[in-house]
Amino acid sequence: MEKKKRIIAWMQGAVLLLLLCLLLVIPSAAEETETASEPLPKIRIGLYWGETELDGANLLNDVGSGYDFGYFDADNEFVALAHTEETAISMLKDWSLYYVGGQYTSEKPETEVPVVGCYHIRLDACESAETAAEAASVYEDGYIGYMDGVWYPFAGSYTSLEQAETAAAERGIPGTAMTGSNRCVTVVATKTQKVLFQYDCGTETTLGVMPCASETGERPITWFKGREYYGGFRYTRLNGGSLTVVNILDLDDYVCGVIPYEMSPSWPLEALKAQAVAARTYAMENMGRHRSYGFDLCGTVDCQAYLGVWKGAEVCEQAVRETSGECITYDGEYINAVYASSDGGATEDSEKVFQEVLPYLRGKIDPYESYVNTGYDSWEMIYTAEQITDILQSKGYRCSDIVSITPTYTKLGNIYSLKFTDSRGVNWTFSRERAGSILYSTKYDKSTKSQRFTVTDADGKQANAVYINSPETPVNGEESVYVLSGSGTVQALNTDGAVTVLSAAGRETISWNGSGETIRAQRYRFSGSGFGHNLGMSQYGAKAMAELGMNYKEILHFYYTGVEIG
Ligand SMILES: [Zn+2]
């Protein structure tokens, strides 16, 4: 009987559905697959942690109405436990904190200010949040807490256990004076000492706060420390310390928050789309980079610059939408999609920047970048020998006066190593990325800006370094470099052995694989182009390619060798 009813109901439903299909315009197949697609993965972005962890963190609804309290599960999905209608709340480590200058701090000021104490009166455990809230509502300073999975009604916040005990007795509250564990987080209404919620589940889970949608159903956007964010927040007292603040949001909302800080929203859409795919791939490849702090990536340039929502950057959202879910892979694996501002004319092989050989990071001459003004088309730095000595010594190298520099170059003409020789004849050699950054100095306010530079004496009188090709890798458009021997035979230079050349200045030894002359001078000229690490995509190059009419896939295929995009 039951079964029959169900079948009839199903049949009625099917007929209705058929009628609806006939009457209504059926959405296209493409739209259907879009709505049925997998939810985007969530990503955890560290905003404050380690040295920057906070005593208290304020939140303010921009678009939205109130917050849910709860925690994030192992899949970073939010589990709601309680709700507040307050639009301005502050999460505090459960210490005695004073509200001074717009934030809560442990330093007690001279003047009278709102203070949130870490001693509370706890009543008997309750079955649910509702019953706990009912029991707490008897007291004007009552609130609820979730401690190790159990609900409690609470009253008050005091700065000492004695105060809490006295208050409980005087107010006739049938509870116990206590303080939370060193993982406990207290939520208050900002600017006040009014406690809204307390969360203390040890090391199991930590407090999550999810802003709620506005009455009109708009997506919530929340102010935090002068910036606006999509998604929720998590507050963890790592090792019992202050608050590590993590923004947990959809991957594509994160990518939207990266693009405008890595590339100007005024740039062509195809360049922004290339940036979106590179940023998304970088995020996927580097998930869990900061797992020791409990998040995936940080919001600084250490990972990728991310500063929340950039309002009005619709073109960035379009770039993310039009590439949604697309990543760059090599052999089925996410690539390390590194990118830099400007390659200055050539990128470089990964092993000549860092040690690892990555087949998709192959250096190549960049014919596009020069179509746009990068601001780094050419730069020059003059260093005196004394300055170089001082810089090396200040970085802990116990050299005596530097008397000469011997640079070596890659086949693409980027710097590979710098050998500094001091007055005692000791060599101090820096290669790869280190060669490009060793002369960075805040004291002299100068630095080489990429790995694409050459070294001469200050007058430029000594010739630039000699580049030597291997037959399979043309340099400067030449297939190879040839020498004419004394006996008249012509021979191509190969990649092993050494060759001795006699220069007008004397006898200098040059190794085959791209070494340069030793330069002895009082002042050295470093002439280069580009800004950044010369690996992967040049952002200015992407801009140029887009302006030349190429699409984002062509841009990515140019800068990442042998990859797939999808
Ligand atoms: Zn980072």
Side-chain angles (χ1 to χ4, degrees), residues 46 49 282 289-290 295-304:
W49 77 99
Y282 180 90
R289 187 156 184 253
H290 292 283
F295 55 86
D296 295 308
L297 301 177
C298 71
T300 75
V301 289
D302 167 65
C303 288
Q304 295 187 116

Side-chain angles (χ1 to χ4, degrees), residues 70-71 79 81-82 128-129 143-154 184-185 197-202 205 207:
Y71 61 91
V79 179
L81 296 171
S128 66
Y143 60 95
I144 58 172
Y146 190 70
M147 329 292 274
D148 295 320
V150 181
W151 288 102
Y152 293 94
F154 281 90
C184 185
V185 179
F197 186 64
Q198 198 159 58
Y199 192 93
D200 188 0
C201 291
T205 55
L207 175 67

Side-chain angles (χ1 to χ4, degrees), residues 4 8 49 90 98 129 133 147 152 173 176 203 225 283 298 380 406 412 417 473 478 481 507 533-534 536:
K4 201 172 177 186
I8 291 167
W49 77 99
S90 297
Y98 303 86
M147 329 292 274
Y152 293 94
I173 303 173
T176 317
T203 54
K225 287 227 172 246
C298 71
E380 237 178 45
T406 311
L412 285 157
S417 70
T473 315
E478 297 293 330
V481 171
R507 194 178 136 140
H533 55 47
N534 295 84

Side-chain angles (χ1 to χ4, degrees), residues 4-16:
K4 201 172 177 186
K5 254 193 203 164
R6 273 212 299 273
I7 291 169
I8 291 167
W10 181 86
M11 283 176 69
Q12 284 170 338
V15 171
L16 192 66

